PDB file of all heavy atoms in Angstrom:
ATOM      1  N   GLY A  22      -2.428 -11.095 -22.451  1.00  0.00           N
ATOM      2  CA  GLY A  22      -3.751 -11.666 -22.741  1.00  0.00           C
ATOM      3  C   GLY A  22      -3.619 -13.160 -23.221  1.00  0.00           C
ATOM      4  O   GLY A  22      -2.549 -13.573 -23.545  1.00  0.00           O
ATOM      5  N   GLU A  60      -3.122 -12.676  -1.548  1.00  0.00           N
ATOM      6  CA  GLU A  60      -3.862 -13.556  -2.473  1.00  0.00           C
ATOM      7  C   GLU A  60      -3.808 -12.940  -3.879  1.00  0.00           C
ATOM      8  O   GLU A  60      -4.200 -11.751  -4.060  1.00  0.00           O
ATOM      9  CB  GLU A  60      -5.274 -13.772  -1.975  1.00  0.00           C
ATOM     10  CG  GLU A  60      -6.057 -14.723  -2.866  1.00  0.00           C
ATOM     11  CD  GLU A  60      -7.501 -14.824  -2.522  1.00  0.00           C
ATOM     12  OE1 GLU A  60      -8.279 -13.910  -2.897  1.00  0.00           O
ATOM     13  OE2 GLU A  60      -7.843 -15.804  -1.753  1.00  0.00           O
ATOM     14  N   THR A  65      -5.577 -14.523 -11.935  1.00  0.00           N
ATOM     15  CA  THR A  65      -4.276 -15.355 -11.946  1.00  0.00           C
ATOM     16  C   THR A  65      -4.711 -16.749 -12.345  1.00  0.00           C
ATOM     17  O   THR A  65      -5.611 -17.333 -11.777  1.00  0.00           O
ATOM     18  CB  THR A  65      -3.620 -15.325 -10.587  1.00  0.00           C
ATOM     19  OG1 THR A  65      -3.290 -14.000 -10.229  1.00  0.00           O
ATOM     20  CG2 THR A  65      -2.419 -16.183 -10.526  1.00  0.00           C
ATOM     21  N   ARG A  68      -4.233 -21.600  -9.546  1.00  0.00           N
ATOM     22  CA  ARG A  68      -4.982 -21.628  -8.324  1.00  0.00           C
ATOM     23  C   ARG A  68      -4.162 -22.265  -7.213  1.00  0.00           C
ATOM     24  O   ARG A  68      -3.188 -22.999  -7.459  1.00  0.00           O
ATOM     25  CB  ARG A  68      -6.359 -22.345  -8.445  1.00  0.00           C
ATOM     26  CG  ARG A  68      -7.201 -21.766  -9.489  1.00  0.00           C
ATOM     27  CD  ARG A  68      -7.484 -20.326  -9.292  1.00  0.00           C
ATOM     28  NE  ARG A  68      -8.395 -19.741 -10.319  1.00  0.00           N
ATOM     29  CZ  ARG A  68      -8.554 -18.446 -10.492  1.00  0.00           C
ATOM     30  NH1 ARG A  68      -7.889 -17.612  -9.767  1.00  0.00           N
ATOM     31  NH2 ARG A  68      -9.340 -18.027 -11.486  1.00  0.00           N
ATOM     32  N   LEU A  80      10.976 -24.839  -1.236  1.00  0.00           N
ATOM     33  CA  LEU A  80      11.044 -24.495   0.187  1.00  0.00           C
ATOM     34  C   LEU A  80      10.332 -25.535   1.010  1.00  0.00           C
ATOM     35  O   LEU A  80       9.340 -26.105   0.590  1.00  0.00           O
ATOM     36  CB  LEU A  80      10.465 -23.136   0.443  1.00  0.00           C
ATOM     37  CG  LEU A  80      11.127 -21.983  -0.210  1.00  0.00           C
ATOM     38  CD1 LEU A  80      10.398 -20.651   0.088  1.00  0.00           C
ATOM     39  CD2 LEU A  80      12.556 -21.848   0.217  1.00  0.00           C
ATOM     40  N   MET A  90      -6.391 -12.294   2.235  1.00  0.00           N
ATOM     41  CA  MET A  90      -7.086 -11.333   1.337  1.00  0.00           C
ATOM     42  C   MET A  90      -7.991 -10.375   2.149  1.00  0.00           C
ATOM     43  O   MET A  90      -8.626 -10.833   3.114  1.00  0.00           O
ATOM     44  CB  MET A  90      -7.956 -12.081   0.335  1.00  0.00           C
ATOM     45  CG  MET A  90      -8.277 -11.293  -0.965  1.00  0.00           C
ATOM     46  SD  MET A  90      -9.501  -9.987  -0.811  1.00  0.00           S
ATOM     47  CE  MET A  90     -10.977 -10.927  -0.973  1.00  0.00           C
ATOM     48  N   PHE A  98      -2.267  -7.202   5.408  1.00  0.00           N
ATOM     49  CA  PHE A  98      -2.495  -8.396   6.165  1.00  0.00           C
ATOM     50  C   PHE A  98      -1.361  -9.389   5.963  1.00  0.00           C
ATOM     51  O   PHE A  98      -0.966 -10.086   6.914  1.00  0.00           O
ATOM     52  CB  PHE A  98      -3.780  -9.080   5.718  1.00  0.00           C
ATOM     53  CG  PHE A  98      -5.009  -8.334   6.243  1.00  0.00           C
ATOM     54  CD1 PHE A  98      -6.265  -8.478   5.573  1.00  0.00           C
ATOM     55  CD2 PHE A  98      -5.022  -7.628   7.451  1.00  0.00           C
ATOM     56  CE1 PHE A  98      -7.376  -7.889   6.024  1.00  0.00           C
ATOM     57  CE2 PHE A  98      -6.142  -6.945   7.853  1.00  0.00           C
ATOM     58  CZ  PHE A  98      -7.359  -7.089   7.195  1.00  0.00           C
ATOM     59  N   MET A 164     -14.386  19.971  -0.023  1.00  0.00           N
ATOM     60  CA  MET A 164     -14.274  21.291  -0.607  1.00  0.00           C
ATOM     61  C   MET A 164     -15.388  22.206  -0.046  1.00  0.00           C
ATOM     62  O   MET A 164     -15.113  23.390   0.177  1.00  0.00           O
ATOM     63  CB  MET A 164     -14.390  21.167  -2.162  1.00  0.00           C
ATOM     64  CG  MET A 164     -13.180  20.451  -2.729  1.00  0.00           C
ATOM     65  SD  MET A 164     -13.506  19.889  -4.419  1.00  0.00           S
ATOM     66  CE  MET A 164     -13.533  21.471  -5.294  1.00  0.00           C
ATOM     67  N   ARG A 194       6.554   8.625 -14.669  1.00  0.00           N
ATOM     68  CA  ARG A 194       7.664   9.371 -14.128  1.00  0.00           C
ATOM     69  C   ARG A 194       7.833  10.741 -14.817  1.00  0.00           C
ATOM     70  O   ARG A 194       8.779  11.434 -14.507  1.00  0.00           O
ATOM     71  CB  ARG A 194       8.922   8.566 -14.209  1.00  0.00           C
ATOM     72  CG  ARG A 194       8.849   7.213 -13.436  1.00  0.00           C
ATOM     73  CD  ARG A 194      10.130   6.397 -13.603  1.00  0.00           C
ATOM     74  NE  ARG A 194      11.229   7.104 -12.954  1.00  0.00           N
ATOM     75  CZ  ARG A 194      12.500   6.728 -13.035  1.00  0.00           C
ATOM     76  NH1 ARG A 194      12.806   5.641 -13.777  1.00  0.00           N
ATOM     77  NH2 ARG A 194      13.456   7.433 -12.447  1.00  0.00           N
ATOM     78  N   VAL A 228      11.529  -9.591   3.293  1.00  0.00           N
ATOM     79  CA  VAL A 228      12.125 -10.576   4.155  1.00  0.00           C
ATOM     80  C   VAL A 228      12.042 -10.047   5.548  1.00  0.00           C
ATOM     81  O   VAL A 228      12.720  -9.082   5.877  1.00  0.00           O
ATOM     82  CB  VAL A 228      13.575 -10.927   3.777  1.00  0.00           C
ATOM     83  CG1 VAL A 228      14.110 -12.022   4.708  1.00  0.00           C
ATOM     84  CG2 VAL A 228      13.623 -11.390   2.295  1.00  0.00           C
ATOM     85  N   ARG A 236      20.584  -9.275  13.447  1.00  0.00           N
ATOM     86  CA  ARG A 236      21.848  -8.665  13.789  1.00  0.00           C
ATOM     87  C   ARG A 236      23.028  -9.516  13.434  1.00  0.00           C
ATOM     88  O   ARG A 236      24.134  -9.009  13.164  1.00  0.00           O
ATOM     89  CB  ARG A 236      21.835  -8.352  15.354  1.00  0.00           C
ATOM     90  CG  ARG A 236      20.892  -7.220  15.699  1.00  0.00           C
ATOM     91  CD  ARG A 236      21.072  -6.855  17.141  1.00  0.00           C
ATOM     92  NE  ARG A 236      20.140  -5.701  17.524  1.00  0.00           N
ATOM     93  CZ  ARG A 236      20.469  -4.472  17.266  1.00  0.00           C
ATOM     94  NH1 ARG A 236      21.596  -4.131  16.719  1.00  0.00           N
ATOM     95  NH2 ARG A 236      19.543  -3.461  17.599  1.00  0.00           N
ATOM     96  N   ALA A 271      -8.983   5.412  10.404  1.00  0.00           N
ATOM     97  CA  ALA A 271      -7.541   5.714  10.301  1.00  0.00           C
ATOM     98  C   ALA A 271      -7.107   6.516  11.537  1.00  0.00           C
ATOM     99  O   ALA A 271      -5.981   6.290  12.067  1.00  0.00           O
ATOM    100  CB  ALA A 271      -7.310   6.578   9.081  1.00  0.00           C
ATOM    101  N   TYR A 295      -1.770   4.694   1.949  1.00  0.00           N
ATOM    102  CA  TYR A 295      -2.672   4.058   0.911  1.00  0.00           C
ATOM    103  C   TYR A 295      -3.728   4.996   0.524  1.00  0.00           C
ATOM    104  O   TYR A 295      -4.651   5.255   1.307  1.00  0.00           O
ATOM    105  CB  TYR A 295      -3.193   2.753   1.486  1.00  0.00           C
ATOM    106  CG  TYR A 295      -3.989   1.853   0.496  1.00  0.00           C
ATOM    107  CD1 TYR A 295      -3.460   0.694   0.064  1.00  0.00           C
ATOM    108  CD2 TYR A 295      -5.263   2.208   0.098  1.00  0.00           C
ATOM    109  CE1 TYR A 295      -4.244  -0.120  -0.832  1.00  0.00           C
ATOM    110  CE2 TYR A 295      -5.958   1.461  -0.813  1.00  0.00           C
ATOM    111  CZ  TYR A 295      -5.433   0.284  -1.280  1.00  0.00           C
ATOM    112  OH  TYR A 295      -6.203  -0.536  -2.129  1.00  0.00           O
ATOM    113  N   LEU A 304      -7.203  13.453   3.253  1.00  0.00           N
ATOM    114  CA  LEU A 304      -8.021  13.047   4.396  1.00  0.00           C
ATOM    115  C   LEU A 304      -7.297  12.103   5.330  1.00  0.00           C
ATOM    116  O   LEU A 304      -7.434  12.223   6.595  1.00  0.00           O
ATOM    117  CB  LEU A 304      -9.321  12.363   3.871  1.00  0.00           C
ATOM    118  CG  LEU A 304     -10.235  13.262   3.132  1.00  0.00           C
ATOM    119  CD1 LEU A 304     -11.498  12.479   2.681  1.00  0.00           C
ATOM    120  CD2 LEU A 304     -10.697  14.442   4.015  1.00  0.00           C
ATOM    121  N   LEU A 328       8.906  16.293  -0.803  1.00  0.00           N
ATOM    122  CA  LEU A 328      10.299  16.134  -0.389  1.00  0.00           C
ATOM    123  C   LEU A 328      10.871  17.410  -0.069  1.00  0.00           C
ATOM    124  O   LEU A 328      10.631  18.416  -0.802  1.00  0.00           O
ATOM    125  CB  LEU A 328      11.044  15.467  -1.555  1.00  0.00           C
ATOM    126  CG  LEU A 328      10.938  13.959  -1.724  1.00  0.00           C
ATOM    127  CD1 LEU A 328      11.473  13.518  -3.055  1.00  0.00           C
ATOM    128  CD2 LEU A 328      11.657  13.219  -0.553  1.00  0.00           C
ATOM    129  N   SER A 337       7.358   7.538  -2.640  1.00  0.00           N
ATOM    130  CA  SER A 337       7.399   6.574  -3.754  1.00  0.00           C
ATOM    131  C   SER A 337       6.703   7.126  -5.001  1.00  0.00           C
ATOM    132  O   SER A 337       7.033   6.649  -6.094  1.00  0.00           O
ATOM    133  CB  SER A 337       6.691   5.303  -3.319  1.00  0.00           C
ATOM    134  OG  SER A 337       5.307   5.550  -3.141  1.00  0.00           O
ATOM    135  N   SER A 342       1.002   7.829  -9.148  1.00  0.00           N
ATOM    136  CA  SER A 342       2.157   7.806 -10.021  1.00  0.00           C
ATOM    137  C   SER A 342       3.110   6.609  -9.832  1.00  0.00           C
ATOM    138  O   SER A 342       3.547   5.999 -10.803  1.00  0.00           O
ATOM    139  CB  SER A 342       2.942   9.113  -9.919  1.00  0.00           C
ATOM    140  OG  SER A 342       2.211  10.218 -10.410  1.00  0.00           O
ATOM    141  N   LEU A 352       2.500  -3.498   0.486  1.00  0.00           N
ATOM    142  CA  LEU A 352       3.802  -4.077   0.471  1.00  0.00           C
ATOM    143  C   LEU A 352       4.796  -3.176  -0.236  1.00  0.00           C
ATOM    144  O   LEU A 352       5.984  -2.997   0.143  1.00  0.00           O
ATOM    145  CB  LEU A 352       3.790  -5.515  -0.196  1.00  0.00           C
ATOM    146  CG  LEU A 352       3.109  -6.497   0.638  1.00  0.00           C
ATOM    147  CD1 LEU A 352       3.067  -7.848  -0.090  1.00  0.00           C
ATOM    148  CD2 LEU A 352       3.615  -6.754   1.987  1.00  0.00           C
ATOM    149  N   GLY A 384     -11.728   0.171   2.201  1.00  0.00           N
ATOM    150  CA  GLY A 384     -12.464   0.876   1.183  1.00  0.00           C
ATOM    151  C   GLY A 384     -13.082   2.132   1.793  1.00  0.00           C
ATOM    152  O   GLY A 384     -13.820   2.054   2.765  1.00  0.00           O
ATOM    153  N   TYR A 386     -11.672   3.897   3.677  1.00  0.00           N
ATOM    154  CA  TYR A 386     -11.221   3.911   5.046  1.00  0.00           C
ATOM    155  C   TYR A 386     -12.311   3.603   6.085  1.00  0.00           C
ATOM    156  O   TYR A 386     -12.355   4.161   7.133  1.00  0.00           O
ATOM    157  CB  TYR A 386     -10.520   5.269   5.450  1.00  0.00           C
ATOM    158  CG  TYR A 386      -9.037   5.140   5.012  1.00  0.00           C
ATOM    159  CD1 TYR A 386      -8.622   5.486   3.747  1.00  0.00           C
ATOM    160  CD2 TYR A 386      -8.066   4.718   5.921  1.00  0.00           C
ATOM    161  CE1 TYR A 386      -7.304   5.351   3.371  1.00  0.00           C
ATOM    162  CE2 TYR A 386      -6.728   4.567   5.547  1.00  0.00           C
ATOM    163  CZ  TYR A 386      -6.358   4.941   4.260  1.00  0.00           C
ATOM    164  OH  TYR A 386      -4.999   4.786   3.902  1.00  0.00           O
ATOM    165  N   ARG A 396      14.047   2.975  11.873  1.00  0.00           N
ATOM    166  CA  ARG A 396      15.424   2.634  11.411  1.00  0.00           C
ATOM    167  C   ARG A 396      16.146   1.893  12.501  1.00  0.00           C
ATOM    168  O   ARG A 396      16.093   2.266  13.713  1.00  0.00           O
ATOM    169  CB  ARG A 396      16.159   3.940  11.140  1.00  0.00           C
ATOM    170  CG  ARG A 396      17.610   3.715  10.596  1.00  0.00           C
ATOM    171  CD  ARG A 396      18.267   5.028  10.252  1.00  0.00           C
ATOM    172  NE  ARG A 396      18.535   5.784  11.465  1.00  0.00           N
ATOM    173  CZ  ARG A 396      18.481   7.141  11.515  1.00  0.00           C
ATOM    174  NH1 ARG A 396      18.133   7.857  10.459  1.00  0.00           N
ATOM    175  NH2 ARG A 396      18.772   7.818  12.631  1.00  0.00           N
TER     176      ARG A 396
END
Side-chain angles (χ1 to χ4, degrees):
E60 183 184 82
T65 301
R68 302 305 181 194
L80 297 177
M90 203 285 277
F98 285 155
M164 293 165 68
R194 302 182 63 188
V228 181
R236 289 186 179 277
Y295 186 108
L304 295 177
L328 281 167
S337 66
S342 290
L352 294 178
Y386 274 86
R396 183 178 68 215

